[in-house]
């Protein structure tokens, strides 16, 4: 998704991730005074704003590892120590992964704000759509931040200088959500249902994210309205892909099930020094089988390993279990050359299972180092998620019949029997279905938190503390100590 762009961001430390986030060519020759003078400048700036979504690997890791779905894994407990601390609920304000997540998303916000700061410089056909896409991107980045950290500094339509940071406090999350909804409303009203450029945001993506934002806030009637409208009108032709077992293969990307997807390519190499600079999906290689030598799969780093608890949650006849979790020993035993297949167990933990949705396959590798260059897209919102969110919203507003209808569409796709329950049991069935359908995709932790189930499902979870992650201490220090830390940290 990354293209050459010329863009100077902000002087704010947390808005930067590494030097490679900027692609200034030639150096020091363009700034706001001689940029945004052509439609192409706006398009290049928008491409730069899309680019920070490459950090999706952090959401996919943390959303699973913080829950009952996965352990951190890896070479040792000191290999990405921050993930191991999140797994055991011992994380604090010094955590590399959480700091990266905050910085990368604020870098994305800074890039959208830079566009809005200059939005009146010229007029041209298509500018409204560029601004609407930028509105969506800003909403998405803020939604990630508010989901992880709660109250966060709210910066809109401008960049901050270093001197302004100590005077910029954390905004209440209700205020941040208000801005998110405002931006998504612009996107919904302006964007078309389809876009010839693959990966660009559409009206359906904006509606789906708005539904999720409303659901996360407990605004169930509003969520039911938006999601119901998306399902009923559906001018983009969204649907459920017929073969769940192959849904997460590169060959089946950008299909009717993809509502909001982050695009990746395997045609550009990269290094470990800046994972957000990659054009490939870093999660895929990191989730792979350590030192594996055998058919179908490539070797990887054994991160984000599914748990026995997740495996046991599936019925034996549910095809989503095999599509979601690779039982490595059972897979090897079923091969004709089983004695020739080898793999290694990392010191960071081993469950016997691997994330079979986002995993390196031999015929899907990118350029060297192919641990870092997977072309497998990250599906932020699938149509199945839209149906399940709608089912929950309808049930919570008393419409059990419509809730069952949307829930059973998801189950029918994998030939599982229809759910016939009502009331509180129906809600439980919907939430269970979310785990079965969406496990491995990075949203289990947030589902547990927002439904009040985290303490009973996550070992070590402390009520009143672990609903949010800590603000990185270095960012508090950069703000002159003015930002208060989240409770309990």
């Amino acid at each position: 998704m990354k293209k050459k762009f010329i863009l100077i961001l902000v002087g704010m430390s947390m808005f930067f991730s590494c030097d490679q986030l900027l692609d200034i060519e030639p150096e020091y020759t363009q700034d706001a005074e001689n940029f945004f003078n052509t439609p192409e400048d706006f398009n290049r700036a928008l491409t730069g704003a899309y680019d920070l979504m490459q950090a999706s690997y952090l959401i996919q890791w943390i959303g699973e590892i913080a829950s009952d779905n996965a352990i951190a894994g890896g070479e040792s407990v000191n290999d990405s120590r921050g993930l191991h601390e999140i797994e055991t609920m011992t994380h604090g304000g010094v955590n590399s992964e959480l700091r990266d997540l905050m910085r990368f998303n604020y870098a994305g916000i800074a890039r959208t704000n830079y566009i809005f700061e200059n939005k009146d410089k010229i007029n041209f056909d298509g500018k409204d759509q560029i601004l609407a896409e930028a509105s969506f991107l800003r909403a998405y980045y803020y939604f990630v931040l508010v989901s992880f950290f709660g109250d966060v500094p709210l910066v809109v339509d401008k960049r901050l200088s270093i001197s302004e940071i100590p005077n910029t406090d954390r905004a209440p999350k209700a205020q941040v959500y208000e801005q998110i909804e405002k931006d998504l409303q612009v996107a919904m009203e302006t964007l078309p249902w389809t876009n010839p450029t693959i990966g660009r945001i559409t009206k359906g993506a904006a509606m789906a994210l708005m539904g999720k934002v409303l659901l996360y806030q407990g605004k169930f009637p509003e969520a039911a309205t938006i999601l119901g409208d998306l399902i009923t009108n559906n001018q983009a032709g969204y649907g459920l892909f017929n073969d769940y077992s192959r849904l997460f293969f590169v060959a089946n990307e950008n299909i009717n099930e993809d509502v909001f997807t982050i695009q990746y390519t395997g045609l550009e190499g990269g290094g470990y020094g800046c994972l957000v600079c990659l054009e490939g999906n870093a999660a895929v290689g990191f989730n792979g089988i350590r030192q594996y030598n055998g058919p179908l799969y490539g070797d990887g780093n054994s991160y984000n390993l599914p748990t026995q608890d997740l495996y046991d949650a599936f019925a034996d006849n549910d095809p989503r279990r095999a599509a979601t979790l690779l039982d490595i020993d059972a897979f090897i035993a079923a091969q004709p050359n089983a004695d020739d297949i080898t793999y290694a167990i990392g010191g960071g933990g081993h469950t016997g299972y691997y994330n079979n949705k986002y995993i390196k396959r031999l015929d899907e590798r990118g350029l060297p180092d192919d641990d870092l260059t997977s072309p497998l897209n990250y599906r932020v919102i699938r149509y199945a998620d839209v149906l399940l969110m709608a089912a929950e919203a309808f049930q919570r507003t008393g419409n059990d019949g419509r809730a069952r209808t949307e829930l059973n569409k998801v189950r029918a796709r994998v030939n599982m029997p229809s759910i016939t329950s009502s009331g509180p049991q129906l809600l439980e069935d919907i939430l269970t279905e979310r785990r079965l359908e969406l496990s491995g995709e990075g949203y289990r932790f947030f589902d547990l938190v927002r439904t009040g189930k985290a303490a009973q499902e996550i070992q070590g979870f402390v009520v009143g503390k672990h609903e949010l992650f800590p603000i990185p201490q270095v960012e508090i220090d950069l703000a002159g100590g003015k930002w208060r830390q989240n409770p309990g940290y």
Side-chain angles (χ1 to χ4, degrees):
M1 186 179 291
K2 189 185 298 179
K3 303 288 190 297
K4 291 286 185 181
F5 67 97
I6 302 169
L7 189 60
I8 295 178
L9 296 177
V10 296
M12 191 173 181
S13 172
M14 76 176 178
F15 284 5
F16 290 89
S17 61
C18 60
D19 291 342
Q20 294 95 321
L21 283 180
L22 303 181
D23 189 357
I24 303 173
E25 181 186 37
E27 200 169 16
Y28 307 125
T29 62
Q30 284 200 288
D31 56 24
E33 296 303 317
N34 52 22
F35 198 66
F36 293 106
N37 291 322
T38 68
E40 178 60 21
D41 287 346
F42 277 85
N43 273 302
R44 295 164 77 190
L46 181 63
T47 299
Y50 271 94
D51 196 55
L52 270 297
M53 290 198 297
Q54 304 295 88
S56 69
Y57 66 92
L58 290 167
I59 297 171
Q60 197 259 340
W61 285 348
I62 297 173
E64 294 297 304
I65 292 168
S67 78
D68 52 348
N69 273 2
I71 68 169
E75 183 178 9
S76 72
V77 294
N78 294 314
D79 183 21
S80 298
R81 174 180 286 274
L83 295 177
H84 288 274
E85 292 171 350
I86 290 170
E87 174 198 334
T88 57
M89 292 286 118
T90 57
H91 50 280
V94 180
N95 185 293
S96 295
E97 284 70 29
L98 293 175
R99 189 191 182 198
D100 282 348
L101 189 140
M102 174 169 274
R103 296 164 75 207
F104 297 160
N105 282 278
Y106 268 115
I109 290 166
R111 294 185 182 189
T112 61
N113 282 340
Y114 195 40
I115 295 171
F116 287 111
E117 194 176 326
N118 292 277
K119 67 183 176 65
D120 296 324
K121 200 168 184 184
I122 64 170
N123 289 314
F124 58 92
D125 290 340
K127 187 174 78 169
D128 287 349
Q129 180 160 331
I130 288 176
L131 296 178
E133 289 182 47
S135 294
F136 176 97
L137 295 174
R138 183 167 63 187
Y140 173 69
Y141 292 132
Y142 268 125
F143 180 55
V144 173
L145 289 168
V146 78
S147 298
F148 274 84
F149 302 109
D151 300 351
V152 293
L154 181 62
V155 185
V156 179
D157 293 354
K158 67 177 184 178
R159 295 159 295 158
L160 292 183
S161 67
I162 292 176
S163 62
E164 290 178 290
I165 300 173
N167 298 318
T168 304
D169 205 350
R170 296 173 65 189
K173 65 179 182 179
Q175 185 178 342
V176 180
Y177 271 121
E178 182 180 353
Q179 180 61 43
I180 292 170
E181 291 183 33
K182 180 180 178 181
D183 277 338
L184 289 176
Q185 190 66 40
V186 170
M188 290 192 308
E189 292 173 353
T190 307
L191 295 176
W193 281 97
T194 60
N195 192 315
T197 302
I198 293 175
R200 290 295 181 120
I201 299 304
T202 62
K203 180 183 182 72
M207 294 177 71
L209 184 58
M210 178 70 93
K212 179 164 281 193
V213 165
L214 294 169
L215 196 69
Y216 272 46
Q217 295 177 82
K219 296 182 177 180
F220 302 120
E222 297 92 331
T225 297
I226 289 289
L227 294 167
D229 186 32
L230 175 56
I231 294 166
T232 300
N233 291 330
N234 192 8
Q235 294 180 40
Y238 299 124
L240 297 174
F241 184 66
N242 61 355
D243 185 357
Y244 193 95
S245 68
R246 299 186 62 83
L247 176 59
F248 286 85
F249 283 43
V250 170
N252 296 318
E253 292 183 333
N254 300 312
I255 54 175
N256 62 339
E257 187 152 349
D258 293 328
V259 179
F260 171 26
T261 299
I262 297 173
Q263 304 287 314
Y264 289 97
T265 177
L267 299 180
E268 183 176 328
Y272 286 87
C274 182
L275 296 184
V276 75
C277 304
L278 302 175
E279 298 312 308
N281 188 344
V284 174
F286 275 79
N287 291 348
I289 310 162
R290 182 169 294 272
Q291 297 178 24
Y292 176 80
N293 183 16
L296 187 59
Y297 298 100
D299 70 302
N301 297 311
S302 66
Y303 277 74
N304 192 18
L305 303 175
T307 60
Q308 185 69 46
D309 184 78
L310 176 57
Y311 182 89
D312 293 341
F314 288 90
D316 289 341
N317 65 333
D318 191 334
R320 292 173 297 186
R321 181 163 70 181
T324 301
L325 299 95
L326 169 65
D327 182 337
I328 185 62
D329 291 332
F331 171 79
I332 292 174
Q335 304 307 309
N337 60 332
D339 291 341
D340 298 328
I341 301 173
T342 58
Y343 73 98
I345 294 174
H350 182 66
T351 64
Y353 304 110
Y354 294 83
N355 186 324
N356 211 16
K357 290 180 176 178
Y358 293 102
I359 193 170
K360 189 199 301 184
R361 297 181 176 88
L362 289 175
D363 61 352
E364 297 179 346
R365 291 174 295 177
L367 294 174
D369 177 344
D370 61 26
D371 277 350
L372 306 175
T373 58
S374 170
L376 188 63
N377 293 341
Y378 179 56
R379 289 178 160 114
V380 185
I381 301 180
R382 297 191 281 117
Y383 191 59
D385 191 4
V386 170
L387 296 175
L388 291 174
M389 288 191 293
E392 180 180 345
F394 283 121
Q395 195 288 321
R396 289 181 183 272
T397 53
N399 191 344
D400 283 4
R402 181 69 186 273
R404 283 191 296 269
T405 295
E406 307 309 338
L407 167 63
N408 286 326
K409 289 177 185 177
V410 177
R411 292 180 62 80
R413 190 252 296 266
V414 288
N415 296 315
M416 296 300 290
S418 294
I419 295 294
T420 60
S421 57
S422 301
Q425 183 57 52
L426 176 57
L427 178 60
E428 290 301 312
D429 291 337
I430 293 168
L431 297 179
T432 296
E433 197 69 20
R434 286 191 62 81
R435 186 186 192 191
L436 301 177
E437 176 70 26
L438 303 172
S439 55
E441 300 178 42
Y443 297 105
R444 172 65 172 172
F445 174 79
F446 303 101
D447 276 350
L448 289 174
V449 167
R450 69 180 182 82
T451 58
K453 296 178 177 295
Q456 70 189 55
E457 302 295 344
I458 302 173
Q459 187 173 359
F461 187 95
V462 176
V463 175
K465 174 182 179 179
H466 288 131
E467 290 86 355
L468 297 173
F469 292 93
I471 301 294
Q473 185 60 45
V474 66
E475 309 303 347
I476 295 176
D477 295 342
L478 288 168
K482 182 176 180 179
W483 296 348
R484 66 194 182 282
Q485 183 56 276
N486 280 330
Y489 292 104

